[in-house]
Amino acid sequence: MGKLDGKVAVITGATSGMALAGAKLFVDEGAHVFITGRRKDALEEAVEQIGRNVTGVQGDSADLDDLDRLFDTVKQEKGSIDALWASAGVGKQNKLGEITEEDFHDAFWLNARGTLFTVQKALPLFNDGGSIFMTGSNASLRGYPNWSVYAGSKAVLPAYARVWVSELRDRKIRVNVLTPGQVASPMLEEVMDEEMKAQFESVIPRREMGRPEEIASAALFLASDDSSYVNGMELVVDGGTTVI
Ligand SMILES: NC(=O)c1ccc[n+]([C@@H]2O[C@H](COP(=O)([O-])OP(=O)(O)OC[C@H]3O[C@@H](n4cnc5c(N)ncnc54)[C@H](OP(=O)(O)O)[C@@H]3O)[C@@H](O)[C@H]2O)c1
């Protein structure tokens, strides 16, 4: 028996990296999964890789019309949602003194604003007792130089979660934040050179980055009844980087 048998899950930004690994695992555990991403070709490839019980909906999580289209599709195909993993996010280095309005806008537009509207627009379809979680970052818990914009845009998520736990208590919907440390994903390859990767690895206790599958298994915990008494929390999955 799978941990998500008969459940419907929506995962945004899931054509690569940790959310794609999560989508595969959720399907293996019995869910039907809706995945999103902006690039059509990457979305088609991800749907093909997952192979069954998956619907790809192309769209930008910062675009409210695209979010409406996503949830209209979910409504038409499945009618309701049991788990939402709002994972679409962007991040890059911005040195204090050189931060532009555009840098600030790009990070907050998707990470803070897009994530909030993803959750809000999913709510009418949510089954009571469901699970919502958002991808944070341990950059918001540690003082990594040059990451203030990204850190700030992710730091709002635990605050959202705490408030929404109160607002959704009558529906028994849980809200948490899944907070990875450095994970070897396409995003990380794009924004870090070899020197920076080595620097980040040096602060991880095991000296090796996380794998997308290691975040996916934490996501399965949050999506399933295994975490039924975990609510309003930030689950930090960073190999211990934040605590040393
Ligand atoms: N990798 C790390 O070390 C790390 C650490 C902490 C937190 N995170 C967070 O983890 C999440 C996933 O990161 P990842 O490293 O697994 O990245 P990734 O492999 O680059 O995947 C990012 C995914 O998000 C999609 N995406 C990007 N912008 C989007 C948008 N506006 N709307 C919808 N989809 C969008 C991408 O597809 P398209 O480009 O086609 O849209 C892709 O599917 C992000 O929120 C990131 O901030 C990453």
Side-chain angles (χ1 to χ4, degrees):
M1 207 178 113
K3 287 182 187 290
L4 297 177
D5 275 344
K7 304 279 189 194
V8 174
V10 175
I11 311 179
T12 63
T15 60
S16 78
M18 49 188 101
L20 173 59
K24 287 177 185 163
L25 183 59
F26 285 17
V27 168
D28 286 347
E29 291 289 337
H32 184 97
V33 177
F34 289 81
I35 62 168
T36 76
R38 293 162 302 174
R39 288 163 302 148
K40 189 166 180 287
D41 52 343
L43 185 65
E44 284 169 1
E45 201 180 307
V47 166
E48 202 177 305
Q49 271 185 44
I50 296 167
R52 66 202 156 101
N53 296 333
V54 59
T55 306
V57 184
Q58 189 187 359
D60 182 340
S61 288
D63 181 317
L64 303 195
D65 291 337
D66 282 2
L67 289 172
D68 284 337
R69 228 172 11 82
L70 165 65
F71 294 114
D72 282 349
T73 307
V74 177
K75 188 175 180 185
Q76 275 162 27
E77 285 195 16
K78 292 288 172 187
S80 64
I81 301 173
D82 300 290
L84 169 68
W85 181 7
S87 186
V90 282
K92 65 181 176 79
Q93 286 200 90
N94 299 111
K95 189 176 163 59
L96 186 62
E98 297 170 7
I99 298 166
T100 64
E101 274 188 84
E102 196 185 357
D103 294 331
F104 183 89
H105 175 275
D106 288 351
F108 278 78
W109 197 246
L110 176 62
N111 299 350
R113 176 184 175 278
T115 304
L116 181 147
F117 284 104
T118 301
V119 172
Q120 179 162 287
K121 286 177 180 293
L123 276 178
L125 296 183
F126 243 84
N127 286 322
D128 288 2
S131 169
I132 294 171
F133 53 103
M134 304 165 273
T135 303
S137 170
N138 81 342
S140 68
L141 301 172
R142 289 191 109 232
Y144 296 125
N146 307 331
W147 288 90
S148 58
V149 175
Y150 178 65
S153 72
K154 291 287 192 179
V156 301
L157 303 181
Y160 291 165
R162 285 188 286 273
V163 176
W164 293 340
V165 164
S166 305
E167 293 185 338
L168 299 174
R169 64 187 297 178
D170 291 344
R171 296 177 61 187
K172 298 187 170 48
I173 295 172
R174 298 181 294 110
V175 190
N176 291 289
V177 179
L178 174 54
T179 294
Q182 289 71 30
V183 175
S185 73
M187 174 192 272
L188 193 128
E189 290 295 330
E190 207 176 286
V191 300
M192 288 192 191
D193 58 23
E194 288 308 314
E195 190 187 335
M196 205 187 304
K197 274 194 265 178
Q199 248 171 34
F200 271 111
E201 281 190 324
S202 72
V203 299
I204 303 169
R206 74 181 187 190
R207 306 264 192 266
E208 188 194 317
M209 297 215 186
R211 296 185 304 278
E213 293 71 24
E214 292 176 303
I215 305 302
S217 50
L220 175 62
F221 169 70
L222 289 177
S224 71
D225 288 343
D226 283 355
S227 60
S228 54
Y229 203 41
V230 178
N231 202 5
M233 287 291 112
E234 185 166 14
L235 176 57
V236 181
V237 186
D238 71 349
T241 306
T242 304
V243 300
I244 62 167

